[in-house]
Every structure is written in C-alpha cells, then in structure tokens.
Amino acid sequence: MGRLTVFIFGVASYVVALAVFVYAMGFLGGFLTPTSLDGAPQGSLAQALAIDLALLVVFSIQHSGMARPAFKRWWTRIIPAPAERSAYVLISSLAMIALFVAWRPIGGVVWETQGLARAIVIGLYVFGWALLFLATFLINHFDLFGLAQVWRQLRGLPTGAPQFHEPALYKLVRHPIYVGWLTIFWAAPTMTVAHLIFAVGTTVYILVAIQLEERDLIDEFGGTYRDYKRRTPMLIPGLGGGRARFKVGEIRAGE
C-alpha cells in the first residue's frame, strides 16, 4: 500500500466509524433508526438469546483481541504499521454494523421511567455521549481513530514515542471513555430485557478489557503505570487519590 492509499484508507475508516457512532446514538437510545436495541420480540426467546449473545461475544473477542500487542505485531506483518489503527477502527465498525443488523429484541420491560425521572435518565444518556467524545479528544481523538498515524505517514513524519501527561478527566479516573460507555449503556429510560442483556454483557466485557489493557500498559511502562494505577481510581472518582498520568501516542485505554 502506497502512502496515499494508506491515507485514503485511514480517512475512509474514520468516516465509517463516525457514521457508526451516529447510528449507535439512535440504536441504543431507541430513536430515529430502523433497527433498535429495544422493541417487540422477533422469533423465539431461545433464538433471540443465542443470536444476541453470539453478537456480543464476537464483538468482544474482535475488539479486545485486535488491541493486544501480540496481535498487532503479527497483523503489521500483513498491513503497513501506520494503517493498523485504522484497520482496527474499520473492523470494529463492521462488527458494530453486524450487531445493528442482526440484533434481536426480546421484549419485556425491566423498568420504565416517567416524567422528571425520564428526563433525567435521557439527560444522563446524552451526558454519556458527551463524556465519551470529550475523553477521546483529551487523549488525542485523531490518534485513537487512526487519522494521526496515516497523516504522519503521508507527510513522511516519524512516529513519536509514547508519552505520559495529565489531561483533565484522567486525573479523576483511569478510564473516562469506559465511564462514558457505561453511562450510555445503563441510562435507559425504558430498560427492556434485551437492553439489560446488552448492558450486562458490555459491562462484563469492559471490566475484563480493562484488566487486559492495564496488563499491557504495565508490561510497557512498568512502575510508572503501577504508580498511576495505585493513585487513580479505575472508574469511580474518589475511590483512590493522587494525580493521574496517561499515555498518549498509541492509545489503548478505551479501545
């Protein structure tokens, strides 16, 4: 792949990812999209459960597996290293599209809010998306989505060594991107059975993914990241203390 081809691939991957994020806002929130996380049952309960759980497992394996250093070392023997992040973003987006298309609502209401409570929950849902995007920009949004890498490659610029700094939210928790996702998943004004399965499944995935990501960061940064981990809460502000440091460059948190 030539430099221009790699750059076009990175831009296209980014555009697809943005489209997926916009669709996900409606899919998870239950508005303005032809498919939705919630809805009337489709097919038998057993069939719906099997399909939905399979989709969650496939996404989890892809999303976390492709982020591991060992996979990246193998993968970059096949594709140019500057395109690795863009390929990750594109394949993750395709996995999400598959979930949008194949997800089977189950029906059944776990809880339903009304009036002021509903407005508050919707506000939390919007806040989750705002927090998510803010957190990506604090650690270099364009690096996280692969654009910075393909741009540097196009310009013939060297890849900078990973550095630590202290962006605002990362002084409060180590994983504000995941805090945003968890808020989005659980802030449901109407929580259906399918939505609950999705929220529980993605929460379990996030908790496992954090352990894998932090193991990789400790392998790479040793005592620096151990100290950061000791002083800074994982997801809930106040459960720990100290000033946070966070890696920028090749970003793993929130993958």
Side-chain angles (χ1 to χ4, degrees):
M1 296 176 71
R3 290 185 179 185
L4 182 58
T5 302
V6 169
F7 179 72
I8 293 172
F9 173 74
V11 172
S13 298
Y14 181 72
V15 170
V16 172
L18 286 185
V20 166
F21 269 79
V22 171
Y23 193 95
M25 293 178 187
F27 179 83
L28 299 174
F31 56 87
L32 301 179
T33 52
T35 61
S36 174
L37 192 63
D38 307 308
Q42 297 181 15
S44 68
L45 175 61
Q47 183 185 53
L49 282 172
I51 292 173
D52 294 348
L53 291 174
L55 289 168
L56 290 173
V57 169
V58 168
F59 177 80
S60 298
I61 293 173
Q62 174 275 317
H63 204 64
S64 189
M66 288 189 69
R68 304 281 66 79
F71 180 88
K72 291 179 181 181
R73 287 192 293 269
W74 171 81
W75 188 223
T76 50
R77 297 174 186 172
I78 301 172
I79 66 170
E84 180 272 325
R85 187 67 191 184
S86 294
Y88 173 84
V89 167
L90 179 60
I91 295 172
S92 296
S93 298
L94 295 176
M96 284 297 298
I97 291 171
L99 189 145
F100 297 154
V101 172
W103 184 264
R104 294 295 181 266
I106 295 173
V109 176
V110 180
W111 73 66
E112 186 167 11
T113 56
Q114 301 291 339
L116 179 60
R118 189 173 188 86
I120 291 172
V121 174
I122 293 173
L124 284 172
Y125 180 76
V126 174
F127 168 79
W129 282 106
L131 174 62
L132 171 64
F133 279 102
L134 174 61
T136 67
F137 279 99
L138 287 175
I139 57 171
N140 193 337
H141 172 88
F142 298 109
D143 194 289
L144 183 63
F145 284 89
L147 277 182
Q149 293 89 322
V150 298
W151 173 250
R152 287 194 296 265
Q153 191 261 173
L154 180 67
R155 298 290 304 277
L157 300 174
T159 300
Q163 301 291 326
F164 277 79
H165 73 145
E166 301 180 4
L169 293 176
Y170 294 89
K171 298 177 182 179
L172 300 176
V173 294
R174 301 195 302 273
H175 300 281
I177 289 177
Y178 283 144
V179 174
W181 279 124
L182 290 170
T183 303
I184 291 165
F185 297 151
W186 286 98
T190 300
M191 177 66 78
T192 65
V193 173
H195 199 134
L196 182 62
I197 291 171
F198 181 87
V200 170
T202 50
T203 299
V204 171
Y205 161 72
I206 284 172
L207 295 176
V208 172
I210 286 173
Q211 306 309 310
L212 295 174
E213 290 169 14
E214 294 198 329
R215 183 191 65 187
D216 295 340
L217 288 167
I218 289 171
D219 287 344
E220 186 167 0
F221 292 100
T224 302
Y225 194 83
R226 287 192 186 94
D227 182 58
Y228 169 60
K229 183 177 179 180
R230 177 184 60 80
R231 294 180 289 106
T232 310
M234 183 171 70
L235 294 169
I236 303 175
L239 296 183
R243 292 174 63 77
R245 293 179 179 274
F246 194 76
K247 176 189 173 193
V248 293
E250 184 190 356
I251 301 166
R252 291 193 185 88
E255 289 184 337

